């Protein structure tokens, strides 16, 4: 499993680098190299931490993005999400090619901090919820049950809340206002995904409807 983890992280890094540098038309992009270097450290480190603390969750997270017991609506969501993510990365690279954005170094450092904070928050989510699979499904074989501790005491979908820091922070780090401008699209997508997930959990996970009645907000406390 560790070998698969390292291979997946390597492939992800190569694909990210290829998309960014190809669309930018240059390798002379220090911020992109910094992003890839940080990602190359964070990805395996988080995976190794999960291998030690919750190997069952790591195994679940490493399963394919499209699975047989996944609702059709979630499969369609994943196709749209991947397409939007590709457009986002290419737009960031094209922004670099056109030198259209001028983001101060201080804001780029804020972007890096947001990326790191997003990672820490998601690790908190993983620590609280061993059933945080990458696809929507009820994991009966793993005795799936409702989790209401940690970040789940405040919002019903803290994973999506935390990852939004990534989608704002990374384009700031890479110096792209175009990427920041596209980030709200991900918020809309996660709002849609939250509804897909809740339908599946209400139907298949005992106690989820009561939990949803207790914890009113989906992504942002006091807002939605």
């Amino acid at each position: 499993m560790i070998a698969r983890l390292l291979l997946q992280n390597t492939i992800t890094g190569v694909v990210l680098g290829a998309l960014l540098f190809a669309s930018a038309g240059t390798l002379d992009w220090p911020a992109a190299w910094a992003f890839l270097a940080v990602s190359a450290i964070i990805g395996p480190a988080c995976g190794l931490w999960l291998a030690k603390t919750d190997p069952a969750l790591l195994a679940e997270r490493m399963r394919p993005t499209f699975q047989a017991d996944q609702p059709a609506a979630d499969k369609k969501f994943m196709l749209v999400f991947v397409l939007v993510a590709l457009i986002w990365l290419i737009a960031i690279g094209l922004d670099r090619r056109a030198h259209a954005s001028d983001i101060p170094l201080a804001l780029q450092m804020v972007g890096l901090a947001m990326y790191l904070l997003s990672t820490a928050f998601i690790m908190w989510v993983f620590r609280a919820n061993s059933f945080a699979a990458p696809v929507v499904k009820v994991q009966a074989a793993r005795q799936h049950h409702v989790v209401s501790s940690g970040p789940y005491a405040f919002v019903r979908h803290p994973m999506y809340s935390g990852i939004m820091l990534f989608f704002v922070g990374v384009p700031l780090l890479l110096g792209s206002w175009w990427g920041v401008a596209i980030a709200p699209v991900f918020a809309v997508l996660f709002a849609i995904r939250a509804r897909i997930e809740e339908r599946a959990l209400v139907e298949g996970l005992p106690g989820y409807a009561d939990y949803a009645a207790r914890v009113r907000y989906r992504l942002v406390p006091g807002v939605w």
Side-chain angles (χ1 to χ4, degrees):
M1 187 165 62
I2 298 300
R4 284 178 55 210
L5 166 71
L6 296 175
L7 178 60
Q8 285 186 9
N9 276 275
T10 300
I11 293 172
T12 299
V14 170
V15 171
L16 285 174
L19 285 169
L20 289 171
F21 290 124
S23 55
T26 181
L27 295 175
D28 184 17
W29 190 0
W33 286 111
F35 165 62
L36 293 171
V38 171
S39 299
I41 295 170
I42 285 179
C46 292
L48 291 172
W49 176 79
L50 268 183
K52 180 178 180 181
T53 60
D54 195 342
L57 175 56
L58 177 60
E60 189 64 47
R61 298 287 311 171
M62 293 175 64
R63 293 189 64 192
T65 304
F66 299 94
Q67 300 177 21
D69 50 354
Q70 182 181 5
D74 194 50
K75 293 178 181 179
K76 293 175 183 176
F77 166 84
M78 289 306 303
L79 286 172
V80 173
F81 177 81
V82 169
L83 177 61
V84 173
L86 287 173
I87 293 171
W88 177 68
L89 288 166
I90 292 170
I92 291 172
L94 292 175
D95 188 348
R96 173 67 180 186
R97 181 190 290 260
H99 297 284
S101 297
D102 184 16
I103 295 183
L105 180 60
L107 272 182
Q108 289 183 277
M109 293 300 100
V110 169
L112 174 59
M114 292 177 71
Y115 179 16
L116 297 176
L117 182 59
S118 172
T119 302
F121 190 89
I122 291 170
M123 290 301 102
W124 184 29
V125 172
F126 288 163
R127 188 62 174 171
N129 184 9
S130 182
F131 309 106
V135 303
V136 171
K137 64 177 183 177
V138 175
Q139 302 166 56
R142 296 184 60 214
Q143 291 76 52
H144 195 170
H145 59 266
V146 174
V147 174
S148 58
S149 59
Y152 289 89
F154 306 102
V155 291
R156 303 203 294 263
H157 303 277
M159 174 82 77
Y160 307 148
S161 307
I163 204 169
M164 276 308 303
L165 292 171
F166 172 89
F167 285 110
V168 176
V170 166
L172 280 177
L173 169 60
L174 293 174
S176 172
W177 287 123
W178 293 7
V180 175
I182 295 172
V185 176
F186 290 103
V188 173
L189 288 176
F190 290 134
I192 294 171
R193 216 295 174 86
R195 291 187 179 277
I196 295 171
E197 186 171 347
E198 290 190 345
R199 282 199 298 269
L201 294 178
V202 167
E203 291 175 4
L205 187 62
Y208 190 84
D210 292 336
Y211 163 72
R214 292 196 312 272
V215 179
R216 295 176 53 198
Y217 300 103
R218 292 181 174 92
L219 299 179
V220 181
V223 178
W224 189 78

